[in-house]
Amino acid sequence: MRYFPVIVVGGGLAGLRAALEVNMHNIPVCVLSRVHPVRSHSLAAQGGINGALGNHVRGSNDSVEKHAFDTVKGSDYLGDQDAIIRMCNDAPLRIYEMEHWGCPFSRTSEGKIAQRPFGGAGFPRTAYAEDKTGHVLLHTLYEQVVRFEHSSERADITVLDEMLVTSLAVDDGRCTGVIALNLKTGNFEAFQSDAVIFATGGSGRVYSNSTNALISTALGAYIPFKDGAPLKDMEFIQFHPTTLIGTNILMTEGCRGEGGFLVNNKGERFLANYEDSKKAMEVAPRDIVARNIQREIDAGRGFENSYVHLDIRHLGEKKINERLPGIRDLCIKFANIDPVTDPIPVQPGQHYTMGGIDTDINGASDIKGLFAAGECACVSVHGANRLGGNSLLETIVYGAIAGKSCAEYVSSLAQTKTGAEKVEAKLRDEERRAREIVAKDGDYLICDVRDELAQTMAQKVGLFRKEDQLRSALEDIERAKDKFKKVKFNAKSKSLSYNYEFINYLETEASICVSEVIVKGALERKESRGSHFRLDFPKRDDANFLKHTVARYSKEGITLSYKPVKIVKWEPKERKY
Amino acid sequence: MDRVIFEVFRFIPEEKSEPHFDRFEVPYTKGMTVLQGLLYIQSKLDGSLGLRFACRAGICGSCAMHINGVYRLACETQVSLLGEHIRVRPLGHLPIIKDLVVDMTEFWEKYKLVKPYLIHSKNVPEKEFLQSVDDREKLTRIVDCILCGACYAACPVVDTHKDYIGPHAFAKANRFIRDSRDDGTFERLRIIGGEDGVFRCHTVFSCQEVCPKEINASGSIAELKMLTTKAAFTAFDRSKLKM
Ligand SMILES: Cc1cc2nc3c(=O)[nH]c(=O)nc-3n(C[C@H](O)[C@H](O)[C@H](O)COP(=O)(O)OP(=O)(O)OC[C@H]3O[C@@H](n4cnc5c(N)ncnc54)[C@H](O)[C@@H]3O)c2cc1C
Ligand code: SF4
Ligand code: FES
């Protein structure tokens, strides 16, 4: 068993930023990640990161307060306003810090960090590096980890990659470590610690039509959930309006921010025909644009009944190469079309998990010693709908905050290095469970259970929801549970070294549980708010539902309760653009 | 084309099995990538097939491998461009852990050798360091490196001189040396110009040919050779070390 005062699970932006912060407090920290940090999904972010820097010619009147207001309104008033104000306030500080650490942002003619317009924002405040913002941010943070490793000023920072965390060790309500499967050796390893920060990213792959990486699964939300940490607002799933048909690879909102058009099969910019998007047109918020695209397709005005066109041809080759080179590359490689000469075929797809591990404004969860940050957490700054560019921001702002409060927590402990027996016992549990899993010899393939469920979620718990559809999704989930009991472990070698059949098993189990949380939350929320749109309850209902859904796990099943939204400045108003 | 034959390299050193190729028949679907084919094998035919993947969109650098004779990313390689026969092997020059998974430890250690982070001696401004559009332009492309390892696997010098630092690390070093905000040129050149450094490169362009991000690593190495030479002639006058 190894011991580190702090363990961070996840090497994406939130995890690395949290680890650096802990280490700045001179506390030894270890990052465990299922992939090498620079492979984390944060790098897929294209468009940019929000902050009221005021660098754009049209941005000089921007302010922290305006950024916060746009975020509150974008969240359809479900975001906690204290958390939002804190995030927007720290935004310039954290973005400048990334720049000082070497992040190669694109530049304005004055040499400042360049910013572009994004949906739902009153000013161009999305800082970017071409269309590869996540890539450069993640590499910059990893570079800092290397710098910290090289420096002798502080305690150690250790990164152990290809370590799949499978379980927490919770001793008497306090988190004292984790168990991880070392993918290289195929052995489980026990890690004792005084605190754990979860930064495992989104659960996107619960859906079949996701823009997320194949490794963005529900496992990260499920592990703390089954050990008693509640999940908050999981029914709020963002669907991105523009994903490439076939693979659902993201076509950044930057395409529209830079001036791209959405066009139906009659050649119309159809957003003009809808009340909620006719003013802002292509830069209206995501939930609105996504629904209007789907309505267009459903009304037979799409192409092949499944997509519309995103047209950026008029931007010209030069601007496309300058601002959207990654998009051009993806279109050529994955759809065999060149956006300089052809419109891009796009459809809405699952994109972001607004809900997550319920934390307070300091990143602390309900379990003592367990913190969470980034997409796996729900502080909540995105409420019912996240604005583009705010989640990268959340990762570094709340990554740093969770790191700081975790460091303070660890420093305040009267007794450290506790709970060793519990950790050892958990290790034996995991080993026993693994032996049972590899011996499974039932009738169904694990991947089939996973894929069928993901289809259910895409078809019945998507952009438009309805009671009967949601009930039918619950039935599908029950069927998936039954089938999952009768699966076959379909691998010739039972060694757990890079054994994806084993990982698929764990992920599918997580997916079944988290899907149920999503559907139950959606069923009970009899209103429409942000990304959650109920055809049978098309209006927002503040009297009954201006509150967070909180789901808890027990052996008997999943239970829901509610808690109030923190409104400190802006009273809810109708959300109009 | 309705099916594709995948011949996949299999080897588990620990189990003392002999390295061999397994043959799988995979139904072809329109737009299928090599990674999709491998994942079909993994989820339907043999769950223990070892490979790395994450983003499935050519940006995370996990899935570089040797596909029909060329190092490339499995996830962005369309099966239709290769035909009905696909032969996949792991990255070269690196110890195999299992099947298509290689041990990248030395790759990362060498990356760390060149101090791959911004080094500046200036006072940190309240806001950003200013950088002109032209100076930023010098970083375009070279910051796109996804550390996939294709160049390292393709480089013949890595094969003959095991401590050769490698194209990925030199491209990274050059990315910082070119950066107008960086003051670490001198520190880095001592490593880059040393025993295992750029002068071992024979300029055969293998690294550049295989790079999925079209990074000009050979060009970077040439630039670094020039800088190192210049540094020697100017008796290590730090102030002259910007291109
Ligand atoms: C295609 C795409 C484009 C986007 N564009 C933007 C944008 O332009 N602007 C914006 O603000 N946001 C954008 N987002 C959202 C944003 O990128 C993500 O929300 C954010 O990067 C998530 O970061 P993270 O650190 O929380 O998680 P991730 O980067 O997903 O990292 C999760 C980490 O956890 C590890 N992990 C997970 N489970 C385990 C486990 N069980 N054991 C060990 N390790 C584990 C993984 O290895 C990984 O290192 C985009 C998202 C997508 C999908
Ligand atoms: S330079 Fe190119 S081939 Fe080499 S690691 Fe970077 S992206 Fe891969
Ligand atoms: S899976 Fe990420 S580059 Fe291929």
Side-chain angles (χ1 to χ4, degrees):
Chain A
M1 187 169 66
R2 296 169 79 173
Y3 164 73
F4 296 92
V6 175
I7 283 179
V8 176
V9 184
L13 283 172
L16 293 186
R17 187 60 191 81
L20 289 172
E21 189 70 24
V22 171
N23 204 229
M24 285 178 206
H25 288 74
N26 205 22
I27 293 173
V29 54
C30 172
V31 177
L32 298 176
S33 177
R34 62 180 291 177
V35 292
H36 186 283
V38 304
R39 316 283 186 225
S40 301
H41 196 53
S42 287
L43 61 83
Q46 302 168 345
I49 176 165
N50 294 342
L53 311 179
N55 288 354
H56 193 279
V57 279
R58 281 185 282 118
S60 56
N61 289 328
D62 199 7
S63 67
V64 166
E65 186 173 331
K66 287 173 182 156
H67 181 187
F69 175 71
D70 287 345
T71 305
V72 169
K73 181 176 167 193
S75 81
D76 222 344
Y77 293 89
L78 193 72
D80 282 342
Q81 297 184 4
D82 54 348
I84 290 173
I85 292 169
R86 186 169 184 191
M87 175 175 82
C88 298
N89 190 51
D90 284 4
L93 173 76
R94 292 288 163 244
I95 294 173
Y96 290 137
E97 177 179 70
M98 293 302 297
E99 198 277 337
H100 297 154
W101 280 342
C103 184
F105 286 108
S106 294
R107 300 286 166 158
T108 67
S109 56
E110 295 164 293
K112 296 179 181 172
I113 296 172
Q115 296 185 280
R116 59 166 50 125
F118 242 45
F123 294 91
R125 68 165 77 91
T126 306
Y128 65 94
E130 297 171 5
D131 53 1
K132 298 163 186 162
T133 315
H135 165 83
V136 294
L137 287 172
L138 186 64
H139 279 254
T140 300
L141 276 189
Y142 183 65
E143 287 155 16
Q144 290 306 306
V145 170
V146 174
R147 184 171 75 93
F148 275 42
E149 273 175 7
H150 282 183
S151 122
S152 47
E153 293 159 25
R154 306 179 194 86
D156 286 345
I157 181 164
T158 311
V159 177
L160 300 177
D161 62 4
E162 303 196 330
M163 285 281 190
L164 181 80
V165 170
T166 61
S167 178
L168 294 181
V170 181
D171 191 23
D172 201 14
R174 181 169 150 188
C175 181
T176 59
V178 301
I179 309 301
L181 174 64
N182 182 333
L183 299 180
K184 292 191 183 95
T185 62
N187 296 326
F188 282 95
E189 293 180 21
F191 292 87
Q192 184 186 16
S193 72
D194 302 319
V196 173
I197 303 177
F198 252 63
T200 49
S203 301
R205 287 283 155 185
V206 163
Y207 284 79
S208 61
N209 60 348
S210 176
T211 63
N212 291 192
L214 301 173
I215 60 166
S216 299
T217 66
L219 194 54
Y222 174 65
I223 291 168
F225 184 55
K226 72 170 193 261
D227 268 313
L231 292 176
K232 186 163 76 193
D233 291 339
M234 288 300 284
E235 65 270 30
F236 293 100
I237 299 284
Q238 179 165 82
F239 295 85
H240 198 286
T242 55
T243 75
L244 197 59
I245 54 153
T247 47
N248 295 107
I249 289 175
L250 183 77
M251 298 288 110
T252 173
E253 187 164 320
C255 295
R256 286 170 287 131
E258 296 293 351
F261 298 149
L262 284 169
V263 181
N264 64 15
N265 68 9
K266 296 192 168 133
E268 294 170 332
R269 285 177 66 193
F270 56 86
L271 291 176
N273 305 337
Y274 296 91
E275 201 51 43
D276 52 359
S277 60
K278 70 177 188 205
K279 195 159 150 241
M281 292 296 287
E282 278 82 4
V283 292
R286 291 188 175 169
D287 54 332
I288 294 173
V289 177
R291 280 194 293 269
N292 291 346
I293 292 177
Q294 195 59 49
R295 287 186 177 112
E296 233 18 52
I297 296 170
D298 293 346
R301 291 189 293 273
F303 300 87
E304 298 176 42
N305 274 327
S306 61
Y307 61 90
V308 296
H309 278 156
L310 170 62
D311 197 344
I312 59 171
R313 289 176 295 183
H314 54 284
L315 303 183
E317 184 164 2
K318 183 164 174 287
K319 192 164 176 187
I320 292 175
N321 285 344
E322 222 171 78
R323 307 274 174 90
L324 303 163
I327 289 297
R328 187 175 183 193
D329 203 38
L330 287 169
C331 287
I332 293 171
K333 283 181 175 144
F334 290 90
N336 198 21
I337 61 134
D338 184 349
V340 169
T341 51
D342 308 295
I344 311 169
V346 293
Q347 60 184 196
Q350 190 287 339
H351 185 52
Y352 187 82
T353 316
M354 260 84 69
I357 303 163
D358 182 14
T359 74
D360 68 10
I361 193 169
N362 296 314
S365 79
D366 261 21
I367 300 177
K368 251 176 102 179
L370 178 70
F371 298 76
E375 193 171 336
C376 73
C378 181
V379 182
S380 100
V381 288
H382 309 302
N385 173 56
R386 168 185 77 104
L387 292 187
N390 267 352
S391 50
L392 287 180
L393 178 63
E394 182 196 10
T395 63
I396 56 173
V397 168
Y398 278 97
I401 289 171
K404 178 163 182 279
S405 56
C406 174
E408 286 165 0
Y409 166 81
V410 169
S411 310
S412 75
L413 286 174
Q415 226 190 345
T416 55
K417 230 177 156 175
T418 60
E421 278 150 41
K422 185 75 195 192
V423 183
E424 294 281 9
K426 226 16 205 258
L427 174 65
R428 286 189 296 275
D429 286 350
E430 287 300 271
E431 286 168 344
R432 185 174 337 107
R433 188 163 75 111
R435 281 194 297 274
E436 285 165 19
I437 295 170
V438 298
K440 285 193 184 281
D441 192 19
D443 306 325
Y444 300 104
L445 286 180
I446 297 169
C447 63
D448 288 341
V449 179
R450 174 194 68 194
D451 295 346
E452 280 164 26
L453 182 62
Q455 287 289 345
T456 289
M457 294 302 286
Q459 282 158 13
K460 301 179 184 169
V461 201
L463 265 173
F464 296 106
R465 299 165 174 184
K466 234 167 98 183
E467 167 130 12
D468 54 347
Q469 292 282 305
L470 294 170
R471 293 218 177 274
S472 145
L474 274 185
E475 284 164 21
D476 292 353
I477 291 171
E478 287 308 317
R479 247 193 314 277
K481 284 183 192 167
D482 281 343
K483 278 189 169 176
F484 193 63
K485 286 186 194 129
K486 292 177 233 148
V487 290
K488 154 163 105 199
F489 192 78
N490 187 32
K492 290 198 184 111
S493 156
K494 307 289 178 207
S495 149
L496 297 184
S497 161
Y498 297 98
N499 193 324
Y500 286 99
E501 185 73 350
F502 184 71
I503 301 175
N504 280 345
Y505 181 93
L506 300 181
E507 289 179 341
T508 306
E509 176 180 277
S511 199
I512 293 172
C513 176
V514 171
S515 294
E516 187 175 340
V517 175
I518 296 171
V519 178
K520 286 199 161 146
L523 200 53
E524 290 310 314
R525 191 171 277 279
K526 297 184 168 55
E527 64 156 353
S528 291
R529 182 186 298 272
S531 68
H532 171 72
F533 195 90
R534 287 280 302 252
L535 289 166
D536 39 359
F537 300 96
K539 288 250 157 8
R540 194 175 86 190
D541 176 0
D542 286 340
N544 293 305
F545 288 104
L546 184 59
K547 57 189 183 188
H548 297 295
T549 309
V550 179
R552 284 191 173 74
Y553 177 89
S554 75
K555 287 264 168 331
E556 289 70 51
I558 291 160
T559 54
L560 299 185
S561 60
Y562 292 89
K563 71 181 196 186
V565 176
K566 296 210 183 76
I567 293 173
V568 299
K569 196 162 176 150
W570 295 284
E571 280 306 317
K573 282 204 295 234
E574 194 190 345
R575 182 167 161 250
K576 264 194 171 150
Y577 287 93
Chain B
M1 186 159 67
D2 55 4
R3 50 158 215 147
V4 188
I5 303 297
F6 273 78
E7 286 183 85
V8 185
F9 180 86
R10 305 299 299 268
F11 182 42
I12 307 177
E14 226 181 73
E15 294 183 1
K16 301 205 171 50
S17 66
E18 285 294 309
H20 63 280
F21 284 84
D22 271 349
R23 225 178 116 90
F24 298 99
E25 219 180 279
V26 175
Y28 176 76
T29 50
K30 191 169 163 265
M32 183 182 197
T33 61
V34 172
L35 179 66
Q36 283 167 349
L38 292 171
L39 288 178
Y40 179 91
I41 296 169
Q42 185 274 312
S43 53
K44 305 261 184 192
L45 307 175
D46 180 2
S48 63
L49 173 65
L51 75 159
R52 286 194 178 103
F53 60 88
C55 72
R56 65 81 174 83
I59 38 170
C60 76
S62 300
C63 69
M65 52 185 85
H66 196 254
I67 303 167
N68 288 17
V70 181
Y71 288 109
R72 40 188 155 196
L73 300 176
C75 68
E76 63 171 28
T77 303
Q78 292 283 327
V79 165
S80 59
L81 298 176
L82 303 174
E84 281 173 32
H85 244 91
I86 293 173
R87 198 174 162 88
V88 203
R89 293 193 307 158
L91 286 179
H93 304 331
L94 294 160
I96 290 165
I97 304 179
K98 182 189 182 187
D99 302 340
L100 301 171
V101 180
V102 291
D103 186 349
M104 306 268 294
T105 311
E106 64 178 71
F107 176 85
W108 294 114
E109 288 309 318
K110 290 174 176 179
Y111 155 87
K112 290 177 185 177
L113 276 183
V114 302
K115 308 197 179 209
Y117 38 81
L118 193 76
I119 298 173
H120 56 75
S121 48
K122 304 179 249 320
N123 284 336
V124 174
E126 197 186 318
K127 296 187 172 176
E128 65 270 66
F129 287 115
L130 295 181
Q131 181 172 55
S132 70
V133 171
D134 286 346
D135 277 343
R136 171 59 178 75
E137 184 56 31
K138 293 183 186 147
L139 308 180
T140 300
R141 277 270 169 226
I142 201 160
V143 294
D144 292 354
C145 171
I146 53 175
L147 294 166
C148 67
C151 56
Y152 190 81
C155 172
V157 183
V158 175
D159 195 28
T160 52
H161 186 76
K162 137 176 159 327
D163 291 330
Y164 179 58
I165 297 173
H168 68 302
F170 294 137
K172 184 59 74 182
N174 199 27
R175 170 254 174 274
F176 285 105
I177 288 173
R178 281 189 193 175
D179 195 318
S180 61
R181 300 167 295 175
D182 186 87
D183 303 314
T185 305
F186 182 72
E187 290 172 47
R188 292 196 191 91
L189 285 189
R190 295 217 308 223
I191 305 155
I192 293 165
E195 173 78 351
D196 306 314
V198 281
F199 289 102
R200 293 214 171 247
C201 168
H202 303 315
T203 326
V204 284
F205 300 106
S206 313
C207 52
Q208 183 159 329
E209 272 162 21
V210 299
C211 176
K213 295 291 151 192
E214 293 171 41
I215 285 157
N216 183 349
S218 313
S220 271
I221 293 173
E223 259 177 68
L224 294 174
K225 282 180 179 170
M226 252 153 55
L227 258 187
T228 317
T229 315
K230 208 158 107 187
F233 281 116
T234 50
F236 292 104
D237 178 351
R238 295 163 182 239
S239 63
K240 301 212 172 72
L241 291 178
K242 276 282 168 202
M243 294 211 92

